[in-house]
Structures are given as structure tokens and as C-alpha cells.
Amino acid sequence: IQSASTNDTVITSIEFAESKPNTEANHTADMQYSAPTFLWGIPSIKGEEERRHAVRETYLNFYTESEEPNRICSLRYLQTHKVALQDCQIAYTFFMGGNPDGPTELVNPNETFPMLIKDPPTTTDEDDVIYLNIKENLEDGKSQTWLKYASMVIEEFPFDYVAKADSDTLLFTPTFLEYAEKALPNRPNNTRIYGGCESYMDSCDPK
């Protein structure tokens, strides 16, 4: 498991790290879900449609028939105002490289070279996928690019933690959230928290 809180650490599997939004620009902070919240990124690649479908139909779908059907929601639904921030504890998105001619890592986007590709593929059943403006890769900057994008999302939606969860990870949702509510503080007490293990770009082995 790898993820991170949103105040000055990053988490990546599941990895999670704290997040640190711009509270002056963010007027929705007081409308956030009461328990620790997560911006949940799931790396994927072209051709993994069946795997993404399996993830949607398992742990991402856990609360759909409950009294809190939006407790896990797609980031896209938040961004298009189909779900309110205070109803969503985990906002997820699949992410993949969408520019075959781009760099493998993008951490300094600008107006001429934005974070996401300008004309992403459009499918009715995969609107929860974002296409980063990078060449598809595994260990050459895709995770760093996701975390940069997540830091930009945090400016608008003040999640407590940013996560990266591999697409072959199966989360037992209630156990994870029970742990999170006991062990992980909300902002502003969520500083310098990291979950997962350190690894280096030149090695896939965290040891």
C-alpha cells in the first residue's frame, strides 16, 4: 500500500501521502467529508479495459448499494459537480500516459504544455480515466506526474491524502477505511505522513 497526506509528504501497490492545498484559494474546505479523505490514483495502460472494469466492480463499487453510495466516487464526478465533496471519502481516477511523443515525466506543466492531453479519447463507460501529457511508461516518471497532477487537484478539492494504488491491488475497503479513521489524522494534523516504502527511480526493488 502506498499513498500520502496532502500537507507536505507524498505516498505510492497502495502508496499514500499527505496533501497540502492552498487553503486561501479553497473555499470548500469546511464542506469536506468528516473522516480522512483520499484522492486515489490507479495507474493503467491501453488494453487494460477488463482490469479496469474488474476494479470498478469490486472495491470501487463497495458502497454503491449502501446509504452512502458516493462514499467512493470518481474524480470526474466531483469535477463535473455530479457528486458533492462532503459525500465522497475516496475520489478515484485511473491514469495513463496519453502522448506518445511526450516526455516520460511532467512536473512543470504550463499553458503551452498542459498536464493532461487536450483531446482525450471519449468513451461512455470510461469517463473515470485521465490521460497525462506524457509517453506511457512504468518507472520513468509516470508516478511523479500523477502526484504533480494530484497536487493541482488538491488546490480545488482539499483531500487529506493522495494515493497511488496499482491496478492489480484489491482493497478490502471497510478494513482500510476503519484503519484510516483510527490511525490517520485529518488536516491540519496530517503533516509528514507517508504510507508504503521508499524506492528509487533506478530500481524497482525498494530494498
Side-chain angles (χ1 to χ4, degrees):
I1 290 187
Q2 302 170 322
S3 61
S5 76
T6 57
N7 278 337
D8 35 40
T9 309
V10 178
I11 306 180
T12 281
S13 63
I14 299 170
E15 298 179 50
F16 67 88
E18 60 184 296
S19 67
K20 190 174 184 178
N22 181 343
T23 53
E24 291 183 3
N26 197 320
H27 59 277
T28 58
D30 60 342
M31 297 172 62
Q32 193 173 3
Y33 198 92
S34 59
T37 56
F38 298 85
L39 177 56
W40 199 267
I42 306 169
S44 189
I45 59 174
K46 185 178 180 180
E48 281 193 342
E49 291 84 0
E50 290 187 5
R51 179 177 288 190
R52 290 192 293 274
H53 177 74
V55 174
R56 292 185 192 102
E57 293 300 308
T58 52
Y59 77 86
L60 295 180
N61 197 39
F62 191 86
Y63 293 104
T64 302
E65 302 299 326
S66 74
E67 295 180 354
E68 298 179 289
N70 296 316
R71 190 171 182 182
I72 299 176
C73 72
S74 74
L75 175 61
R76 174 71 173 171
Y77 275 25
L78 278 183
Q79 292 173 323
T80 56
H81 309 290
K82 293 181 179 179
V83 173
L85 181 63
Q86 65 266 30
D87 295 331
C88 185
Q89 187 172 9
I90 297 178
Y92 79 89
T93 186
F94 295 92
F95 65 90
M96 63 178 75
N99 182 356
D101 300 317
T104 58
E105 177 181 295
L106 179 60
V107 294
N108 294 301
N110 54 51
E111 290 185 2
T112 58
F113 204 89
M115 179 57 69
L116 303 180
I117 64 173
K118 293 182 178 179
D119 298 306
T122 56
T123 58
T124 57
D125 59 347
E126 291 227 298
D127 61 354
D128 55 0
V129 179
I130 61 168
Y131 295 85
L132 302 171
N133 200 4
I134 59 170
K135 182 186 302 183
E136 184 57 69
N137 69 89
L138 181 62
E139 298 288 345
D140 292 328
K142 185 175 179 178
S143 294
Q144 291 90 324
T145 305
W146 153 247
L147 291 169
K148 174 60 180 180
Y149 174 72
S151 73
M152 297 165 65
V153 172
I154 291 299
E155 294 294 317
E156 182 177 1
F157 302 103
F159 291 98
D160 296 310
Y161 299 90
V162 171
K164 169 183 167 284
D166 290 346
S167 60
D168 59 357
T169 297
L170 183 61
L171 184 73
F172 188 47
T173 315
T175 298
F176 172 77
L177 291 179
E178 181 180 355
Y179 159 79
E181 290 169 18
K182 290 180 179 178
L184 299 177
N186 298 67
R187 72 178 70 257
N189 302 311
N190 62 334
T191 58
R192 304 186 184 281
I193 297 174
Y194 177 92
C197 58
E198 293 183 357
S199 60
Y200 297 91
M201 288 184 64
D202 59 354
S203 173
C204 295
D205 185 357
K207 298 180 181 180

